[in-house]
Amino acid sequence: IHTLDRESGALLWERVVPGGVSAAPTLAPEVVYVRTDTGRLVGLSRETGQWRFDVACPAPLGDDPVVLAHDALLVNGRGTVACFERPN
């Protein structure tokens, strides 16, 4: 994951996500949600790229995370929904 300054294009931070990234990251005000090829949901600080959390998802994920009030709502291809509360 690479984050660039909007105006200058300078690199702000970058992180390697183990397991590979399976979809475009989803942005929330404070967190970048990343879905991995190994069925995990990773949360990175939007400002610094620091790891906030890394959790195993209860079912295979098919769609990109949708952010609702700072939570990540995940919908897979079989209609299962998993909602993760934002960690403190």
Side-chain angles (χ1 to χ4, degrees):
I1 302 291
H2 303 276
T3 300
L4 307 176
D5 181 90
R6 186 182 312 206
E7 294 178 15
S8 70
L11 179 67
L12 297 175
W13 57 263
E14 63 183 335
R15 293 289 173 266
V16 173
V17 177
V21 176
S22 64
T26 299
L27 302 178
E30 298 175 10
V31 178
V32 177
Y33 293 100
V34 182
R35 195 180 76 196
T36 73
D37 289 331
T38 57
R40 302 191 71 78
L41 178 66
V42 173
L44 305 172
S45 165
R46 189 168 172 170
E47 185 176 328
T48 66
Q50 195 169 24
W51 287 85
R52 305 261 317 256
F53 62 88
D54 178 356
V55 296
C57 297
L61 303 173
D63 297 326
D64 294 339
V66 176
V67 177
L68 298 173
H70 303 289
D71 293 341
L73 176 66
L74 304 163
V75 182
N76 81 5
R78 297 184 200 128
T80 302
V81 176
C83 186
F84 294 88
E85 289 187 70
R86 178 181 64 159
N88 294 329

